[in-house]
Amino acid sequence: MGFMSVLSFAHKLISERLTLGDRAIDATVGTGADTLFLAKTTGTRGEVYGFDIQSAALKLAGERLRNAREETPSLSAVTLLERSHAEMAEAVPAIWHGTVGAIMFNLGYLPSGDADKNIITQPDSTIAALEASLQLLRPGGIITAVLYPGHEGGDLEAAAVQSWAAAVSPQLAQSIVYRQLQRNDAPYVIALEKKKGTPS
């Protein structure tokens, strides 16, 4: 049967914690697969923000969401912004701080046939975004980050994210890793759950 893919595992972790009416953020919109997942999971009373620095990504995601709404009208409202995920704390409404149920990162490059694979997420902005994410999360909220050490630059980013997650105080959040141990270049997931009872 095999284990879950890293994307399925990230979705499973989030679906167990995110509820209808929640707020959620897709930090790296890409083609919009995670954005749509969050919009479905939070439902009509929920709200989702999505960030990407590439207009091509936002166009693909917008089309995916429009097509999905024709079959599934019960999606949440989605706001897509052509901005770095490092700016999410300033970009979302102030009321969102300390109330977000889930924040997803799917790092690397835009997985589209004609996309420039040299445009990749960078360690500095990703760590800044992860720091912001911890402040935006509500107690019990979750961050998932899918990492891709197999492409050039991806190994450095993955190492930076793992070091950052390991250094987060266990009083603030607990962190886990889900990865295939026999392949160093296989994608893997790091997830952090903000401790309940933690001040927002």
Side-chain angles (χ1 to χ4, degrees):
M1 186 167 122
F3 293 113
M4 283 185 186
S5 72
V6 291
L7 296 174
S8 295
F9 185 73
H11 284 192
K12 180 177 188 294
L13 290 175
I14 286 177
S15 64
E16 291 171 349
R17 291 160 178 81
L18 200 61
T19 60
L20 292 172
D22 260 341
R23 295 173 171 139
I25 294 172
D26 186 351
T28 51
V29 166
T31 63
D34 290 336
T35 319
L36 177 57
F37 164 74
L38 293 172
K40 286 180 177 177
T41 307
T42 55
T44 51
R45 293 186 297 109
E47 297 175 89
V48 174
Y49 266 74
F51 295 86
D52 208 291
I53 61 169
Q54 296 187 71
S55 58
L58 299 178
K59 183 179 178 184
L60 289 168
E63 290 173 1
R64 185 190 289 262
L65 289 165
R66 279 191 296 275
N67 292 336
R69 283 188 195 283
E70 293 177 6
E71 298 178 9
T72 313
S74 59
L75 301 180
S76 72
V78 177
T79 302
L80 298 176
L81 298 178
E82 191 174 343
R83 292 181 68 169
S84 168
H85 52 203
E87 300 170 3
M88 69 169 74
E90 301 86 55
V92 301
I95 196 172
W96 277 48
H97 288 241
T99 70
V100 177
I103 302 175
M104 299 191 76
F105 290 77
N106 194 342
L107 300 169
Y109 52 77
L110 177 60
S112 174
D114 55 354
D116 184 350
K117 302 296 192 291
N118 293 312
I119 302 175
I120 61 173
T121 50
Q122 300 292 331
D124 287 350
S125 59
T126 295
I127 298 302
L130 287 165
E131 288 281 359
S133 296
L134 276 179
Q135 302 308 311
L136 291 169
L137 279 188
R138 61 168 163 73
I142 186 169
I143 299 166
T144 61
V146 180
L147 306 163
Y148 297 89
H151 70 80
E152 188 172 351
D155 54 340
L156 298 176
E157 183 173 49
V161 171
Q162 189 162 334
S163 294
W164 172 83
V168 170
S169 167
Q171 278 73 50
L172 178 60
Q174 60 177 342
S175 57
I176 63 166
V177 177
Y178 176 78
R179 74 182 304 173
Q180 183 180 339
L181 295 177
Q182 297 98 328
R183 282 183 52 215
N184 289 336
D185 62 347
Y188 65 102
V189 178
I190 286 178
L192 293 93
E193 183 179 44
K194 192 168 185 178
K195 286 289 189 74
K196 292 181 178 175
T198 304
S200 298

